[in-house]
Amino acid sequence: QVQLLESGGGLVQPGGSLRLSCAASRSIYRINDMAWYRQAPGKVRELAARISSSGTSNYAESVNGRFTISRDNAHTVTLQMNSLKPEDTAVYYCAAEIGLRPGDVTDWYWGQGTQVTVSS
């Protein structure tokens, strides 16, 4: 089995920055898209940003221009979050579309989540 290991959450003041990272726990045959989702208290989980294996990215309208998603290598994804707002407070989840072995159908795997709190 494979795990997605997240790091970088925490408490930050409005206007501040945080950087989230996510890496696969072991060598994997193929990772297609990787993404960051978030879930605020009492709300449904929503896509924040997504990036393909070729580097094409897309963002939720609410974070566009403030967040940047990048692939450091084939198995690692980073989310740079700038100009943070209280409404960005949520648990952030890393997700990846993974094929474990040649010929496998890909499936989505999820990290455990990391808390981001934006408050003064």
Side-chain angles (χ1 to χ4, degrees), residues 5 7 10 16 27-28 36 40 50-53 55 59 65 73 79 83 85 95 107 115-116 118:
L5 305 175
S7 62
S27 180
I28 293 170
W36 287 95
R50 179 169 175 160
I51 187 167
S52 71
S53 56
Y59 299 88
N73 55 52
L79 185 68
S83 302
K85 304 175 182 180
D107 199 1
Q115 177 69 46
V116 171
V118 184

Side-chain angles (χ1 to χ4, degrees), residues 8 18 40 50 66 68 71 75-76 86-88 106:
L18 279 176
R50 179 169 175 160
R66 300 186 297 120
T68 302
R71 299 278 288 260
H75 294 168
T76 304
E87 51 264 44
D88 294 318
T106 59

Side-chain angles (χ1 to χ4, degrees), residues 2-86:
V2 62
Q3 292 180 298
L4 296 177
L5 305 175
E6 300 146 333
S7 62
L11 172 65
V12 64
Q13 293 186 342
S17 298
L18 279 176
R19 184 180 178 89
L20 305 182
S21 294
C22 172
S25 60
R26 65 173 180 83
S27 180
I28 293 170
Y29 172 65
R30 183 176 76 238
I31 300 181
N32 293 337
D33 288 12
M34 300 186 80
W36 287 95
Y37 284 75
R38 65 184 186 180
Q39 187 167 17
K43 295 188 176 182
V44 299
R45 190 174 298 187
E46 64 174 7
L47 176 69
R50 179 169 175 160
I51 187 167
S52 71
S53 56
S54 62
T56 301
S57 58
N58 59 79
Y59 299 88
E61 185 175 345
S62 58
V63 308
N64 196 26
R66 300 186 297 120
F67 291 11
T68 302
I69 190 170
S70 61
R71 299 278 288 260
D72 302 323
N73 55 52
H75 294 168
T76 304
V77 64
T78 297
L79 185 68
Q80 177 67 42
M81 304 184 293
N82 298 328
S83 302
L84 283 161
K85 304 175 182 180

